[in-house]
Amino acid sequence: MADSEKTCLFLPPSPPCLEIFQLSRVLDLPPENLIKSISAVPISRKEEIADFQLSVNSLLENNDHSRPDIHVQATRLAEKLKCDTVVSEISTGQGTINFKINRELLTKTVLNQVIEDGSKYGLKSELFSGLPQKKIVVEFSSPNIAKKFHVGHLRSTIIGNFIANLKEALGHQVTRINYLGDWGMQFGLLGTGFQLFGYEEKLQSNPLQHLFEVYVQVNKEAADDKSVAKSAHEFFQRLELGDVQALGLWQKFRDLSVEEYIRIYKRLGVHFDEYSGESFYREKSQEVLKMLDSKGLLQKTVKGSAVVDLSGNGNPSAICTVMRSDGTSLYATRDLAAAIDRMDKYNFDTMIYVTDKGQQRHFQQVFQILQIMGYDWAKRCQHVPFGVVQGMKTRRGDVTFLEDVLHEIQLRMLQNMASVKTTKELKNPQETAEKVGLAALIIQDFRGLLLSDYQFSWDRVFQSRGDTGVFLQYTHARLHSLEDTFGYGFLDGFNTACLREPQSVSILQHLLRFDEVLYRSSQDLQPRHIVSYLLTLSHLAAAAHKTLQIKGSSPEVAGARLYLFRAVRSVLANGMKLLGITPMPCTPKRTSTY
Ligand code: ARG
């Protein structure tokens, strides 16, 4: 092949990142496959071979067609590629294509890019170019008023927040919706229960707790005393019929609960654009039932309820109940009404629902019904399911309120902090404990596949050694204090020749690849790619921190190193924020691995 026919990998003026996108065009392979197959060559071997390696074996893993000798394949692919200002050498090894990078250019451009792009670093990559801006609705958290806020709600909150953050960072227009369980028989019970054992002051001062207590008590009472059950039923009837007095009480329960939720979500760093809820769709559900009927999709059962037959979708016994025998709507009916309403309101390109996998069938049915009603946009609806977590207990017992979890986190972290001698007095130990502890919880949850179930353990969340959120926070704080100690005076520029140690090169290689993990997470909505990237970055920073001294180095060397560390902190902070973690400037000292 003549040189001119080969394709240049890194076309100017793109930054010299390992342009997966270009590589994907030249090799005619999807970026996803390439990202998985490229790795940085470990420092000790780097001098001899290369900086990056593309494993042809793993690249072609899923290819069925018989392939000749892997080395021939590697050579054939490598022939399509040409060196340029960034790639200074391309060679082949046993089933690999090896790239050597122009180190000077790598250093200069990566660091400048990180500092210049700030929170946008990695997001301007060609991997995302041409990505159309979409309208995305993310519905998450969605607890039920007066009922337990369980671990499933907690997971929905942090996962949904991550997805919304990521989509927003990618430039999409995101609407965050909290769809509260704010309707149903529980409000009949609450209405009656509040009249029997409710206290206005308690409701005002601690609504979530008080409503839950009333709910538990009235449930017990109703089980033994038929008249209580009857009056609860009547109260709910009044609500359904729009009785002003009953609705007034319901509204008060809802408003006070939402107010408290907003306050607690704020501690988590989570916000919503809309507090919607099942109650909004009481009337619209009736319209949905009429529509279903007019389209001939509603089938009455002998008991008087109504169902939609979904057996056409491959499952002969599939039906979805959409109306009770008394004419009232069900969970699924309200979800149909809510989806239609949101389409009207937001004209979304994608709507994502985040709940545990127990609701997979429910959403499948809702989307199928929308489809057979003729709403082709049903295809734009997506359910992101996650696995079940068992055994999350606090000192007070099972998790009942979100605040219990925050309280437990704070308590455990403060205890950890007390057991370690800190050199610095923390300004606000409570807040620091909460933020560091939350990071620990989030990282622990995000490390695996979202769909996996796991057994919860506080010890694992807070283990003092290893790959935890505490480690990320600690690394961030250490880097922050470097800047604090040495100031920004050095940071006007840097000499690339001062960053040639293997520790610097490894960090630069890693920083270069931030766009790839963002890309992977944007494809499968799994946070684990970002998590493992940040943990590796923190390990690299720890190694560099040991060897690349600032104190005692010449101003030129110190300046360049500070520049490098500042870049690491910036990318670390960006990644943490995407995951929903607030990077702290100061943390307790860690009984650490280094
Ligand atoms: N409130 C529901 C629950 O706790 C979750 C709501 C999920 N969203 C929805 N659109 N159905 O199980």
Side-chain angles (χ1 to χ4, degrees), residues 317-374:
S317 60
I319 51 158
C320 177
T321 308
V322 287
M323 190 187 85
R324 289 202 189 84
S325 51
D326 63 1
T328 56
S329 64
L330 282 109
Y331 186 51
T333 335
R334 296 194 278 271
D335 257 327
L336 291 168
I340 296 166
D341 181 51
R342 289 176 195 168
M343 189 61 197
D344 279 350
K345 201 163 162 191
Y346 299 112
N347 190 21
F348 56 78
D349 297 292
T350 306
M351 173 152 66
I352 297 172
Y353 296 86
V354 187
T355 77
D356 70 52
K357 63 185 181 190
Q359 300 205 30
Q360 235 158 348
R361 199 175 119 87
H362 163 76
F363 284 108
Q364 234 171 34
Q365 293 198 330
V366 168
F367 302 161
Q368 276 171 10
I369 297 177
L370 288 170
Q371 189 70 52
I372 60 173
M373 285 174 87

Side-chain angles (χ1 to χ4, degrees), residues 280-567:
F280 286 34
Y281 299 107
R282 191 165 42 103
E283 278 157 27
K284 287 202 165 86
S285 294
Q286 295 303 322
E287 288 169 31
V288 168
L289 290 173
K290 279 195 201 116
M291 264 194 280
L292 283 167
D293 200 19
S294 69
K295 287 175 199 281
L297 296 167
L298 202 65
Q299 293 181 8
K300 289 266 167 62
T301 65
V302 276
K303 286 185 191 147
S305 60
V307 302
V308 177
D309 181 2
L310 292 168
S311 57
N313 289 288
N315 182 355
S317 60
I319 51 158
C320 177
T321 308
V322 287
M323 190 187 85
R324 289 202 189 84
S325 51
D326 63 1
T328 56
S329 64
L330 282 109
Y331 186 51
T333 335
R334 296 194 278 271
D335 257 327
L336 291 168
I340 296 166
D341 181 51
R342 289 176 195 168
M343 189 61 197
D344 279 350
K345 201 163 162 191
Y346 299 112
N347 190 21
F348 56 78
D349 297 292
T350 306
M351 173 152 66
I352 297 172
Y353 296 86
V354 187
T355 77
D356 70 52
K357 63 185 181 190
Q359 300 205 30
Q360 235 158 348
R361 199 175 119 87
H362 163 76
F363 284 108
Q364 234 171 34
Q365 293 198 330
V366 168
F367 302 161
Q368 276 171 10
I369 297 177
L370 288 170
Q371 189 70 52
I372 60 173
M373 285 174 87
Y375 296 119
D376 212 32
W377 51 259
K379 294 192 186 76
R380 302 184 207 169
C381 300
Q382 183 187 356
H383 177 221
V384 175
F386 54 81
V388 177
V389 174
Q390 250 135 19
M392 188 194 267
K393 288 215 184 337
T394 67
R395 257 153 253 209
R396 286 170 48 172
D398 283 337
V399 173
T400 311
F401 305 107
L402 176 53
E403 212 160 13
D404 291 343
V405 182
L406 289 173
H407 184 72
E408 188 77 13
I409 283 175
Q410 217 185 57
L411 218 71
R412 287 187 184 258
M413 230 9 252
L414 284 170
Q415 234 168 37
N416 281 8
M417 282 155 68
S419 68
V420 178
K421 273 193 215 110
T422 38
T423 36
K424 257 190 213 163
E425 269 300 310
L426 291 170
K427 272 201 211 94
N428 190 345
Q430 251 93 11
E431 197 200 332
T432 305
E434 188 165 299
K435 294 285 187 295
V436 176
L438 258 173
L441 187 83
I442 290 174
I443 292 300
Q444 196 271 154
D445 194 82
F446 284 2
R447 289 193 61 186
L449 270 176
L450 294 181
L451 206 52
S452 318
D453 301 336
Y454 68 86
Q455 188 67 32
F456 186 83
S457 139
W458 285 109
D459 288 342
R460 190 145 28 100
V461 172
F462 286 113
Q463 63 195 350
S464 63
R465 283 164 186 274
D467 290 347
T468 63
V470 181
F471 177 44
L472 293 189
Q473 287 283 25
Y474 177 67
T475 307
H476 181 270
R478 262 187 114 185
L479 294 168
H480 196 275
S481 93
L482 266 186
E483 286 169 38
D484 258 7
T485 315
F486 297 99
Y488 291 95
F490 283 119
L491 299 177
D492 302 339
F494 61 95
N495 181 353
T496 51
C498 298
L499 296 172
R500 289 282 157 80
E501 301 83 356
Q503 289 84 356
S504 309
V505 177
S506 303
I507 287 181
L508 289 161
Q509 280 182 322
H510 199 62
L511 292 178
L512 182 69
R513 308 193 65 191
F514 188 51
D515 62 338
E516 295 172 30
V517 288
L518 296 179
Y519 181 79
R520 289 186 80 174
S521 286
S522 74
Q523 292 292 298
D524 62 9
L525 300 182
Q526 298 285 332
R528 67 194 172 117
H529 311 297
I530 299 175
V531 170
S532 58
Y533 176 91
L534 296 181
L535 289 166
T536 305
L537 184 62
S538 298
H539 282 295
L540 292 173
H545 208 278
K546 258 197 226 153
T547 43
L548 308 180
Q549 299 294 327
I550 299 207
K551 206 167 154 188
S553 299
S554 72
E556 201 183 19
V557 170
R561 289 177 179 174
L562 271 177
Y563 218 96
L564 180 75
F565 284 126
R566 187 182 164 197

